[in-house]
Amino acid sequence: MGDALEPARALLPDARLEDAGQLRGGERSEVRRATVRRDGTPDSSVIVKQFRSAGEGWAREVAALSVLPAHAPGPRLIASAPQPPVVIMSDMGWGASVADALLGADADHAAAAVERWAGAIGALHRSTLGLRDAFADALAEHAGELPIADEVLPIGLDDAARALADQAADLGVPVTSAALEELRGLGRRLGGDGPAAISPADACPDNNIGVGEQLVLVDFEAAQWRHVAWDVAYLRVPWPSCWCSWRMPGGIADRAVARYREVLADALPYVLTLDFERDVAAAATGWAFISTTWFLHKALADDPPAPDPDKPTPTRRAMILHRLSGAARSEQLAALAELATRLRAALVERWGEVPLAVAPAFADRVRDAGQ
């Protein structure tokens, strides 16, 4: 990628930037910490994120960070440029993530980290409830000629419905039109015109930083506007888009949801209602099928163990079977529940039962409880 700080230096001509090391890198972007030096002022630190190509990721991250209020649990936008696509944002500090806690050996610490995650999501939702127009305007400003929608879930559900019909047919499992309509219908029921806010969309346990007793959310390159139930349902699935999607013992998700409600209740009383509980359950069923379509092809071909023994991950087959078990118990979406039951049975016939392990931090607690 070359010197990732060169574009940043052009955006901060009054400062000297010194590379303080890479934080992460991937197919889409590289993230580095940089020290900012200015004569007569104390040194400060920023995060420089350079995207490997211009596109939705850069536009969504810039748009979201540009409208986040000062009290939102996320970085502040300092500067950005589309060519080369780079974002300079405030440095939220050093700290462990929720994923680090789940990988650890302290069950109480991991449970508290999950609650802090829920509190951070609640604080983000609370701070952005009325910002749809501002976010959409910022997206339009930075999208250029790209057709970027502020709300993405209905498109994802439609894609999932088409993929599900094809994948299930390959397994000899018929899919009814009623099931596909229930899946697509979640885009209308849980759409952005309801109780909605800005979501980072990829709010996985590793996309955050613990700062004291608080948690700060990072990575907004998939940011979108969506119904709040979709983010809260991450706790129930759990973690549908994440590598660290282990099962959590009973009660931990309940306490985290309670924390979310506590943060948001006075600003959005809906979260205290039975409708909210039903919507979160429906969103969890939606995530079960969306994520199944993401992972099924590779799970059918092979399901090797994690390549890094120090960073264990659940197998795709375990995740899929666990999520279909949850979807099969849906009391609201009868056609999807029936499909989940049949699809799971067909996969168990191929794979056998593949249980989803609990997160490493909870392993001893679950073993001692005989769960």
Side-chain angles (χ1 to χ4, degrees), residues 95-117 205-210 215 239 243-244 246 248 252 358-363:
S97 69
V98 176
D100 293 326
L102 294 173
L103 275 171
D106 188 331
D108 291 337
H109 176 65
V114 173
E115 288 189 44
R116 286 195 296 273
W117 180 92
D206 59 342
N207 284 332
N208 51 74
I209 299 169
L215 202 71
W239 321 116
W243 60 268
C244 45
W246 301 282
M248 294 189 292
I252 290 176
V358 296
F362 302 123

Side-chain angles (χ1 to χ4, degrees), residues 271-286:
V271 302
L272 298 179
T273 68
L274 180 60
D275 285 342
F276 170 73
E277 295 178 11
R278 289 170 54 84
D279 288 345
V280 170
T285 298

Side-chain angles (χ1 to χ4, degrees), residues 114-139:
V114 173
E115 288 189 44
R116 286 195 296 273
W117 180 92
I121 291 292
L124 177 67
H125 288 174
R126 181 188 178 100
S127 67
T128 61
L129 284 172
L131 296 183
R132 182 171 194 173
D133 289 346
F135 177 57
D137 289 345
L139 264 183

Side-chain angles (χ1 to χ4, degrees), residues 157-184 289 292-293 296 324 334-344 346:
L157 288 161
D158 192 53
D159 290 343
R162 287 195 298 270
L164 182 63
D166 292 339
Q167 292 170 341
D170 291 341
L171 292 167
V173 177
V175 179
T176 66
S177 58
L180 297 181
E181 178 52 34
E182 281 185 351
L183 187 58
R184 291 189 176 101
F289 282 100
T292 291
T293 65
L296 184 56
L324 289 176
L336 283 177
E338 192 268 340
L339 174 58
T341 299
R342 289 188 290 108
L343 183 56
R344 189 182 190 284

Side-chain angles (χ1 to χ4, degrees), residues 114 117 229-240 245-261 276-285 287-288 319 322-327 329 356:
V114 173
W117 180 92
W230 292 106
D231 282 350
V232 180
Y234 260 53
L235 293 162
R236 299 295 190 193
V237 178
W239 321 116
S245 50
W246 301 282
R247 181 168 57 90
M248 294 189 292
I252 290 176
D254 291 339
R255 291 192 292 274
V257 173
R259 175 59 181 153
Y260 174 86
R261 287 172 137 162
F276 170 73
E277 295 178 11
R278 289 170 54 84
D279 288 345
V280 170
T285 298
W287 280 129
M319 289 189 293
H322 179 78
R323 293 167 188 184
L324 289 176
S325 290
R329 296 191 295 272
L356 181 64

